[in-house]
Amino acid sequence: MNTAPAPESVEPRWLTAEEQHVWRSYIEAATLLEDHLDRQLQRDAGMPHVYYGLLVKLAEAPRRRLRMTELARYAKITRSRLSHAVARLEKNGWVRREDCPSDKRGQFAVLTEEGMEVLRRSAPGHVAAVRQAVFDRLTPEQQKSLGEIMTIVAEGLQPSGAGADLPWLR
């Protein structure tokens, strides 16, 4: 006989006051940081932060090209959102799409020379904004801890099993 309580009758593990403080501080900082970086990139390069991240991933890729599915996975966004972003980047002349010869349905996103130049021009201001907002405020030990913590959180949110509900799989 199963004596486990029904799921709806199990009391949630509420956050402690300290955990609540940490959680709310994280949410506030993450929201303000994303807004800060978005505004800086809109002002200096005419693009949102997510587009900048796509250009960076393409610049780092071999031959400056990635399959659209891989680019969505790197950017942690849905394929639909990526398709919209790449369409905007194409309109600007910063990215072009190429068909995948081995997969009729697949496409590559390719960083153009113009896109690479936009990235070269916008990178110094973006790095300065990141440094000012994050790294200049933390000690080297805090930076290391932050990196370790965020890696643990990210790894825990990316299950590898079949049926994982991740943005780039939607």
Side-chain angles (χ1 to χ4, degrees), residues 106-166:
Q107 284 191 317
F108 287 97
V110 181
L111 182 64
T112 65
E113 278 304 317
E114 188 178 347
M116 190 66 199
E117 185 54 36
V118 166
L119 192 56
R120 281 188 195 104
R121 284 193 317 263
S122 58
H126 180 65
V127 170
V130 169
R131 181 166 297 289
Q132 176 270 328
V134 178
F135 294 98
D136 290 349
R137 298 172 188 273
L138 302 175
T139 67
E141 295 79 21
Q142 289 170 324
Q143 293 173 24
K144 183 177 182 212
S145 293
L146 180 62
E148 291 168 350
I149 291 165
M150 292 296 102
T151 297
I152 291 166
V153 171
E155 287 172 353
L157 293 171
Q158 298 181 83
S160 58
D165 185 19
L166 298 166

Side-chain angles (χ1 to χ4, degrees), residues 46-133:
M47 74 177 101
H49 189 222
V50 70
Y51 290 13
Y52 179 85
L54 295 173
L55 297 181
V56 168
K57 284 297 181 190
L58 289 171
E60 294 171 345
R63 296 177 34 215
R64 296 185 191 158
R65 60 190 276 142
L66 283 171
R67 284 192 61 138
M68 292 285 283
T69 52
E70 284 298 297
L71 189 55
R73 183 175 65 81
Y74 285 132
K76 310 292 187 247
I77 59 176
T78 63
R79 290 177 288 195
S80 171
R81 185 172 179 204
L82 175 68
S83 184
H84 177 75
V86 169
R88 294 287 305 273
L89 293 169
E90 279 182 303
K91 187 177 176 183
N92 290 341
W94 300 345
V95 170
R96 72 174 181 278
R97 292 185 215 214
E98 293 179 357
D99 291 332
C100 179
S102 63
D103 178 1
K104 298 277 189 237
R105 296 180 305 165
Q107 284 191 317
F108 287 97
V110 181
L111 182 64
T112 65
E113 278 304 317
E114 188 178 347
M116 190 66 199
E117 185 54 36
V118 166
L119 192 56
R120 281 188 195 104
R121 284 193 317 263
S122 58
H126 180 65
V127 170
V130 169
R131 181 166 297 289
Q132 176 270 328

